[in-house]
Amino acid sequence: MNYEDFYNQSIQNPEAFWAAQANEIDWFTKPQDILSTDETGYPLWYKDGSLNACYLALDKHINDGFGDQIAIIYDSPVTQTVKKYTYNEVKSEVARLAGGLLSLGLKKGHTAIIYMPMIPQAAFAMLACARIGVTHSVVFGGFAPHELAIRIDDCKPRLILTASSGIEIDRLIAYKPLVDEAIELAEHKPKKVVVLNRKLGARIPFKKYDVDYDALVYGSEEADCVPVETTHPLYVLYTSGTTGKPKGIVRDTGGYAVALKFSMQKIYGVQPGEVFWAASDVGWVVGHSFIVYGPLINRNTTIVFEGKPIKTPDASTFWRVIAEHKVSVMFTAPTAIRAIKKEDPNGEFIKQYDLSCLRTQFLAGERCDVATLEWYREHIPIPAIDHWWQTESGWPMIANMMGVEYLPIKPGSSGKAVSGYNIMILGENGQELGPNEEGYVVIKLPLPPGTLLDIWNDNQRFQAGYLQKFPGYYFSGDGGFKDENDYIFITGRVDDVINVAGHRLSTAEMEEIVASHHSVAECAVIGINDELKGQIPLALVVTKLGEAIEHFQLQHEIVKLVREQIGAVASLRDVVIVNRLPKTRSGKILRKLMRSIADGDNFQIPSTIDDEAIIDEIKEVLELAKIGSFK
Ligand code: COA
Ligand code: AMP
């Protein structure tokens, strides 16, 4: 079937379409009620079904006779390790870890936080939770204790699973002291902390709540899969929003399993048995959907990669992994390709590897600039597919559906709407815009299965953030336009969320931290263009009257504060002092205007500005500091 017909079916008769897709996975109780609504009127898929995500990811394949197939390849250039685990081996460890968690008092309905680096035990921990109906919340290892504490207080885990350390390019990061500090900071106190000792020399301060991971696994009996209802939260994944408090995106179990199986086959075009590699981190949605659950549910071999595209040890790493493990389809963020391109502009490393196994390269997580796409295509002549999605959706919303029909690529566009997503471009008043008119990217309800169910503990924020701006539509937070052939071009966020090296961060959260510095009277943090990371944050600060702090001292203190509170991953390095911030007459800070000035974009001076002279003042400061387009 061609894309057009397949897509139209999903929009014209979503119930029939998704009823058919539900047959692609095994259920303990097959759903009869395909599409209904909850008490607020929000669509629910497969409400009366029951299943288990860990069963689908592991046990099913063993029952089908594929227990000896490799499920996970752990490739870690930073520890110079390659280790392969069969489906039998993964199941055995996961089932015993699940047994261990039960022995520690965890049961269906509880939550657990996982704070681990990119090691297979992170995936084992997720699957062990899923096996017994415990809702997991994975926190990215690059987040500081303060961020971890916010998540502990919000999702109230009974237990945290962690490892002794992670490894960044040039340093060992001891995780256990960070977990202890987060528990001290949090009001909610988890009962146990399960610690995997990686024996890499990191400090592991002992606390009464500690449990040794290895001892727990080896001392426990295998636990069976617990059937859960379709809408049982498989996980809560926190993502940045427009306030200082991250949002806990709630993912269901049944709709998600169907959507992932569908994605692997129809979007990524991967058949069971093939090797699929998403070079991301389990702390992000890509890791949940396409390192752990998607490839395993589709019986692929997935790669857990502990390293970076460059410097571990060099820009050849990606090509070595693809050639060595015979990767068929790969996924990474454009920033990773930009980093490689910078180190190896002529693709010399690429020539040293046999990449004939690689069929398709997918790119997402941030806007894919045309130069990066073209560099890739020049050096590796396979389809390089930009595709668009979010933590909230859990799986791609705009893509080239490689398992359905490969459509011509239009550089700059992420492709056409994926089946199930009725994507529209609306104007400020909710009117649908015509071809090439830029507006808000929204999706007409119902969203397809597997997309967000709620915000953990905060349905009001869920309604206000996503559903109330345009009633009847999901508001994505992104701007964009469709051309006359229905290709969609995403132009960027319309809110305070920025994307730094494929990591989603909130400038509002950074602003709160910058504002807490004792010398700061007022500030604004904006995302400006960056050649490598896509975007980086810039803080513009007005100091308190009479404050005699040197610029470099203030910059140093603010950068340190943000690293301590959010983590190094925030990448805030540029702080400038200004006499005042541009505002409207009613006092609203004109962040977009500052962004345009820094990026060197054309802009119109808003008629509501209170004083135009400030534009030149800001330009001067940025010019002096050589920031953004003034570099
Ligand atoms: N634990 C601890 N610290 C971490 C971390 C982690 N898991 N991840 C990142 N950091 C730290 C880094 O060490 C760095 O610290 P520094 O400022 O002291 O050097 C800081 O956070 C910024 O990290 P990053 O943005 O990753 O920059 P980088 O210069 O180390 O690497 C890239 C740049 C482009 C190579 C890297 O960001 C990358 O590979 N990006 C792809 C991201 C991706 O796949 N995202 C998933 C979305 S699909
Ligand atoms: P995250 O929730 O971390 O996956 O970030 C989602 C956001 O990243 C989206 O709302 C977009 O702003 C941006 N994004 C992701 N993929 C793309 C893409 N292919 N093109 C443009 N922006 C993207």
Side-chain angles (χ1 to χ4, degrees):
M1 186 176 293
N2 66 24
Y3 161 80
E4 206 74 25
D5 292 343
F6 194 63
Y7 175 76
N8 287 341
Q9 275 183 10
S10 75
I11 301 302
Q12 281 155 12
N13 196 346
E15 274 190 80
F17 186 88
W18 291 109
Q21 298 308 327
N23 291 332
E24 299 296 312
I25 65 160
D26 282 13
W27 300 82
F28 294 145
T29 315
K30 204 159 175 201
Q32 304 303 318
D33 193 350
I34 302 300
L35 178 59
S36 54
T37 51
D38 69 9
E39 60 282 3
T40 68
Y42 188 66
L44 286 182
W45 291 95
Y46 315 127
K47 190 169 71 179
D48 55 348
S50 84
L51 73 168
N52 183 286
C54 181
Y55 174 85
L56 296 176
L58 303 176
D59 303 57
K60 174 183 159 40
H61 310 314
I62 294 168
N63 296 346
D64 290 349
F66 296 99
D68 290 329
Q69 185 192 310
I70 302 296
I72 296 179
I73 300 174
Y74 167 53
D75 189 309
S76 167
V78 291
T79 57
Q80 300 193 351
T81 311
V82 174
K83 191 161 183 216
K84 299 181 181 183
Y85 298 83
T86 63
Y87 272 97
N88 280 328
E89 287 166 339
V90 176
K91 187 228 150 187
S92 165
E93 174 135 352
V94 165
R96 279 182 292 135
L97 177 57
L101 297 179
L102 288 175
S103 74
L104 295 175
L106 259 80
K107 55 176 199 270
K108 178 173 177 249
H110 288 158
T111 53
I113 278 188
I114 299 169
Y115 184 70
M116 282 191 172
M118 277 299 288
I119 52 177
Q121 289 78 6
F124 301 160
M126 292 163 76
L127 292 161
C129 288
R131 194 166 186 88
I132 54 172
V134 166
T135 299
H136 60 68
S137 186
V138 184
V139 178
F140 176 58
F143 282 128
H146 169 77
E147 286 292 313
L148 183 54
I150 292 176
R151 288 153 174 82
I152 292 174
D153 278 335
D154 197 62
C155 78
K156 302 198 171 27
R158 293 272 297 196
L159 169 148
I160 298 181
L161 290 123
T162 190
S164 50
S165 63
I167 303 172
E168 275 301 288
I169 293 172
D170 50 359
R171 62 191 194 274
L172 196 69
I173 297 181
Y175 274 35
K176 181 59 179 22
L178 304 178
V179 172
D180 291 338
E181 195 185 328
I183 293 175
E184 289 237 324
L185 287 171
E187 272 174 36
H188 171 82
K189 306 292 176 196
K191 295 202 175 355
K192 296 283 174 199
V193 175
V194 178
V195 189
L196 172 82
N197 185 351
R198 298 186 71 192
K199 303 190 179 75
L200 296 172
R203 198 164 64 84
I204 315 177
F206 180 75
K207 298 275 179 188
K208 273 208 289 224
Y209 47 57
D210 288 353
V211 175
D212 180 67
Y213 176 98
D214 287 325
L216 184 69
V217 170
Y218 293 108
S220 300
E221 298 284 315
E222 290 194 5
D224 281 338
C225 294
V226 173
V228 300
E229 58 280 20
T230 299
T231 54
H232 178 75
L234 176 62
Y235 64 78
V236 179
L237 180 58
Y238 287 86
T239 191
S240 300
T242 52
T243 69
K245 192 172 176 244
K247 305 186 271 197
I249 301 300
V250 180
R251 186 83 56 217
D252 76 330
T253 304
Y256 189 52
V258 172
L260 293 184
K261 178 82 186 167
F262 179 82
S263 304
M264 294 307 295
Q265 303 222 338
K266 301 289 193 247
I267 300 172
Y268 296 109
V270 199
Q271 292 313 308
E274 292 191 302
V275 183
F276 180 86
W277 178 26
S280 179
D281 190 288
V282 286
W284 308 113
V285 69
V286 179
H288 285 67
S289 298
F290 298 117
I291 294 175
V292 181
Y293 290 109
L296 295 179
I297 288 175
N298 196 42
R299 192 171 51 76
N300 292 115
T301 298
T302 185
I303 297 181
V304 172
F305 173 72
E306 187 182 28
K308 301 236 177 184
I310 50 169
K311 299 187 182 147
T312 61
D314 55 34
S316 73
T317 305
F318 272 20
W319 321 128
R320 194 245 331 138
V321 172
I322 293 168
E324 196 170 314
H325 305 306
K326 308 251 170 314
V327 173
S328 297
V329 176
M330 193 206 170
F331 178 146
T332 191
T335 187
I337 304 299
R338 286 197 296 271
I340 293 172
K341 177 178 154 207
K342 198 167 165 215
E343 305 259 308
D344 182 21
N346 299 321
E348 296 302 335
F349 281 126
I350 297 173
K351 295 176 198 145
Q352 294 170 18
Y353 293 91
D354 174 8
L355 303 182
S356 56
C357 54
L358 189 65
R359 206 164 52 235
T360 323
Q361 174 71 59
F362 281 87
L363 298 162
E366 52 166 340
R367 205 180 72 78
C368 180
D369 54 292
V370 175
T372 301
L373 192 77
E374 291 192 335
W375 181 86
Y376 191 98
R377 295 207 300 194
E378 182 192 331
H379 295 282
I380 307 179
I382 57 169
I385 309 281
D386 178 15
H387 64 319
W388 174 79
W389 53 297
Q390 308 175 303
T391 307
E392 288 86 342
S393 68
W395 60 286
M397 299 188 275
I398 304 176
N400 208 316
M401 299 186 69
M402 294 301 283
V404 179
E405 184 190 359
Y406 174 34
L407 298 173
I409 291 174
K410 285 195 186 180
S413 163
S414 330
K416 297 195 184 193
V418 164
S419 305
Y421 291 99
N422 191 354
I423 300 185
M424 294 183 175
I425 310 294
L426 300 187
E428 195 60 59
N429 303 319
Q431 77 283 16
E432 191 175 359
L433 299 181
N436 302 312
E437 282 189 275
E438 188 174 341
Y440 297 106
V441 180
V442 303
I443 297 143
K444 193 168 191 305
L445 296 178
L447 291 174
T451 49
L452 78 172
L453 207 58
D454 203 346
I455 290 182
W456 189 256
N457 282 336
D458 203 347
N459 185 261
Q460 213 180 340
R461 192 173 179 193
F462 171 62
Q463 300 285 339
Y466 300 109
L467 304 176
Q468 280 166 2
K469 186 168 174 71
F470 299 111
Y473 298 86
Y474 164 83
F475 172 55
S476 72
D478 278 24
F481 61 91
K482 260 189 209 181
D483 72 6
E484 42 293 302
N485 304 116
D486 288 333
Y487 277 79
I488 304 168
F489 294 72
I490 299 293
T491 50
R493 297 286 308 189
V494 295
D495 56 16
D496 297 335
V497 170
I498 57 170
N499 225 301
V500 182
H503 307 135
R504 175 166 160 182
L505 299 162
S506 159
T507 52
E509 184 172 12
M510 288 188 219
E511 253 177 49
E512 278 181 24
I513 296 168
V514 177
S516 72
H517 187 282
H518 53 82
S519 300
V520 173
E522 207 180 12
C523 67
V525 178
I526 54 172
I528 61 170
N529 291 339
D530 180 74
E531 218 180 298
L532 174 67
K533 298 195 175 189
Q535 280 185 303
I536 48 166
L538 160 68
L540 296 106
V541 170
V542 180
T543 51
K544 285 183 183 154
L545 211 63
E547 199 67 37
I549 189 163
E550 289 284 347
H551 170 233
F552 74 89
Q553 176 70 18
L554 183 65
Q555 167 150 331
H556 173 77
E557 286 177 15
I558 287 178
V559 167
K560 188 159 165 270
L561 204 59
V562 171
R563 279 176 83 93
E564 278 167 5
Q565 301 267 308
I566 298 181
V569 72
S571 296
L572 175 74
R573 291 194 206 285
D574 295 327
V575 178
V576 293
I577 299 180
V578 290
N579 289 328
R580 58 217 167 105
L581 295 168
K583 289 186 187 168
T584 60
R585 281 187 283 278
S586 59
K588 197 170 162 291
I589 297 176
L590 291 162
R591 292 183 178 76
K592 193 160 176 255
L593 174 74
M594 289 189 280
R595 239 175 25 224
S596 305
I597 298 174
D599 289 341
D601 291 343
N602 291 332
F603 58 86
Q604 275 196 328
I605 301 169
S607 57
T608 51
I609 195 165
D610 68 343
D611 178 5
E612 276 187 37
I614 190 157
I615 294 177
D616 287 332
E617 278 179 42
I618 298 230
K619 267 189 192 161
E620 245 171 63
V621 171
L622 297 180
E623 218 166 344
L624 211 64
K626 297 195 170 42
I627 282 174
S629 62
F630 300 101
K631 259 186 193 156

